[in-house]
Amino acid sequence: MKKVLCYSTLAMSILASAHAQAFDSFYTFGDSLSDGGFIGSQSRFIAGSDSKLYNEILAEHYASDNHAPYTFGGNNYAEAGATADNYASGLLRTDLQINYYLSQNGGVADKNGLYMLWIGANDISYDVEQSIAKLNFGGLFSTGNDYLLSSAPDAVVTQTQMLLDAGAGYVIVPTLPRAGLTPWTATALFSFAQTILGQNVLDLPRLYKQLDTALRSKGSVDSEAQRQQFVIDSLEQVLAENGVLLPRQATEKVYEMILNMENTLTDQFNYSTEQGLAQLNGNIVRADVGKLFDEIITSSKEYGFDNVLAPVCQIGVGAPQCKETSASFHDDQVYMFSDWFHPSPEAHAVIAQYIMSVIDAPYYATTLSKALESANDEHRAFLEGQLQSLRTNPTEEKVSVFGGYSGKYRHAKSSNSDLDGRDTSNSGNIGFSIQAAPWLAVGGMMSAGAGDFKVSDHYKYDYNGKVMSLFMQATADNGLWGNLDTSFGDMDLNGISRKIQLGKAVRTEKGSTQASSFGVALNLGYDYSVTDYLTTGPVIGYSYDKYKVDGYRERGNNSTSMHFGDQRHELNTVSAGWRIDTRTLPVNPYFEVSYHRNFNDDPISVAGAVNSTATSFTRQGAEIQKEWVNAKLGASAKLTDKLGLFGVVNYNGGNNSSDEVNYSVGVNYIF
């Protein structure tokens, strides 16, 4: 079965990239779009008995949750037929779902939980029915002012606030796809005619089946205009088969009226909900699924869909009643819809991919400050080589200049496989030092460099920038010595690239921003003389580094395009170790091993939001590296009375965050 195979491949690709548990739990409140079978399989509106709903994929990805319906002991409270507003249809409302969940949990939600609230499709359906009932033939020319929008948006906002007030960490409130994009709209002409002519006048099942056949015969859709054209062509074909010869203009007018009504009501619902959510405080993930569907419908082949007009299940047959073995089930193509209103398994998988991309984007963005750290590390590693050269080859001369190359390679390791990346950076360095006194050297240095960071298969960026520092080194006859430097850096973070997989399509969202840094580092040591040429002794150090990355907006105008807030990051690090030095030899090697502990280990936080929405949410990045071991091997050589050479290799390891190597080589010349 082509369709099932296609879905299985897509679903497995999503789950194969699943990272370690990111949230404690995942909960869903909603209607048939999210119902996992609260009364059994008859409430699962998705084609294929083994197919997963979007929320089931998300729950497995983020919380290792199989997301069974609440009636079977799980965290899925969605019920087919549910509404946000208080209609006379019954008690299937999302506020009741939320209240029941809270009553089972002492009124407290999970502060590290993901909560899905996707509701409103049935509210819009009700609004459409009420609006159609109000229209007469003169209403065919309605501009939308006569449409009846319920108070459902206010209900969604209130329910979101209920979850936030109870302590919910994140509430996902997707926009609704336009109802006019579904196969349901094509059937509305017959429903409209039935309303005018009276009940039971038309044989609707027969008309639905004929319409189903007509829609399946159409090709792929490349634009919204073409989609509408195909639908109108199919409607005309069905009418002709039944001896109804209406002018095409009349068919177009009725269809366009219903289409406009459904789309306008959906847009109004999304807009009103958006305005209300924007007034709330909390982490609201506003995924623009409505815009995503607009994009897919008009470029369906790009995403892997063969047919966006007809559903898997014959029009008029709901997905719960449509079994793989029945004649109403079609697996000859990859369809956008399971039945006349609900997404197909492939569409559910794409929805899950999209929501994942939105949730994870700020998480990836927290890694941008790593560029600043790399630039600082390279700068200090090179400066260390110069200061060691001065210490092991003391001179009475007043001025020296130095310069050279430094680089860094880092392999980031994470329990989250999505952050198992690599980065490289390189810089050129130039500086000067002045021997202000026999025991004191002062100077300055500048580094200019660039780097490439591949955070994951989904996120990468590059940078170019500079770091400048002022430094001093003091030595005493009794073996005490100390180095102090203050640094300032700024850089451009370019080519920020975020890749999003959506079915067969791969999107890349791009952006750029600026960043800056400030740092102070102090190192103290004591040299015990072993021989005239060999010393050994303890070293201790302290460094403070402050990094700032400006917020930025991705340049696209897609459902996946996002913007991000500023981020700030501080490190307070102490170190202690032991050195072995040689001095006054033609070549002076040295070795140091030290333990480092960072005492400011709060994760970096970044706010993010989809560009087409007005709400935002904040994600914390991975745990900050707390401790590591540094091994340093270097040497300095005096080539002539004036010319010297130095080099050093640093290795940082012994932690769960990364392995990294810094390497520097430079020359100095004494005037």
Side-chain angles (χ1 to χ4, degrees), residues 477-629:
D477 293 338
N478 62 0
L480 284 172
W481 58 268
N483 302 328
L484 175 67
D485 69 84
T486 301
S487 61
F488 306 86
D490 69 86
M491 62 176 55
D492 296 320
L493 295 166
N494 304 307
I496 304 174
S497 177
R498 186 168 61 92
K499 187 172 72 174
I500 304 107
Q501 186 83 37
L502 298 171
K504 289 186 176 181
V506 178
R507 288 189 188 173
T508 301
E509 299 289 353
K510 296 183 177 181
S512 60
T513 188
Q514 292 77 45
S516 60
S517 65
F518 168 78
V520 177
L522 173 66
N523 292 286
L524 301 173
Y526 185 83
D527 294 336
Y528 294 97
S529 294
V530 180
T531 70
D532 292 340
Y533 307 105
L534 179 68
T535 64
T536 188
V539 289
I540 58 173
Y542 169 77
S543 63
Y544 169 79
D545 296 289
K546 183 177 182 180
Y547 306 114
K548 178 181 181 294
V549 180
D550 295 339
Y552 71 99
R553 179 178 292 266
E554 293 173 332
R555 292 187 284 270
N557 190 32
N558 307 308
S559 60
T560 49
S561 305
M562 298 182 65
H563 59 273
F564 307 93
D566 296 348
Q567 55 180 287
R568 289 172 171 80
H569 176 36
E570 294 183 4
L571 295 176
N572 281 284
T573 307
V574 298
S575 62
W578 199 267
R579 292 178 66 100
I580 299 175
D581 284 308
T582 59
R583 58 184 60 217
T584 67
L585 296 172
V587 178
N588 293 294
Y590 64 94
F591 174 75
E592 178 184 311
V593 61
S594 55
Y595 167 80
H596 296 246
R597 177 68 164 87
N598 168 39
F599 286 93
N600 191 355
D601 52 10
D602 294 332
I604 303 171
S605 296
V606 174
V610 175
N611 284 348
S612 57
T613 67
T615 62
S616 66
F617 63 100
T618 299
R619 287 287 312 271
Q620 286 188 342
E623 289 187 3
I624 299 297
Q625 184 174 325
K626 297 181 179 180
E627 55 187 6
W628 62 95
V629 174

Side-chain angles (χ1 to χ4, degrees), residues 626-639:
K626 297 181 179 180
E627 55 187 6
W628 62 95
V629 174
N630 173 263
K632 186 181 303 178
L633 178 64
S636 62
K638 196 170 184 179
L639 304 180

Side-chain angles (χ1 to χ4, degrees), residues 352-432:
Q353 287 178 313
Y354 169 60
I355 294 176
M356 287 177 195
S357 76
V358 174
I359 293 173
D360 290 344
Y363 185 72
Y364 291 135
T366 63
T367 64
L368 291 173
S369 64
K370 287 295 182 182
L372 295 162
E373 292 186 32
S374 288
N376 260 10
D377 290 347
E378 287 180 39
H379 183 87
R380 284 178 179 158
F382 187 87
L383 181 60
E384 154 69 21
Q386 166 64 10
L387 294 176
Q388 176 71 10
S389 179
L390 290 177
R391 198 163 60 247
T392 57
N393 294 285
T395 178
E396 298 295 327
E397 285 79 1
K398 296 296 185 182
V399 180
S400 65
V401 295
F402 58 93
Y405 163 83
S406 58
K408 181 178 180 180
Y409 170 82
R410 186 175 69 96
H411 174 204
K413 300 179 295 183
S414 175
S415 57
N416 181 347
S417 61
D418 282 345
L419 293 184
D420 193 6
R422 290 170 170 79
D423 55 75
T424 58
S425 51
N426 304 275
S427 63
N429 312 276
I430 188 169
F432 71 94

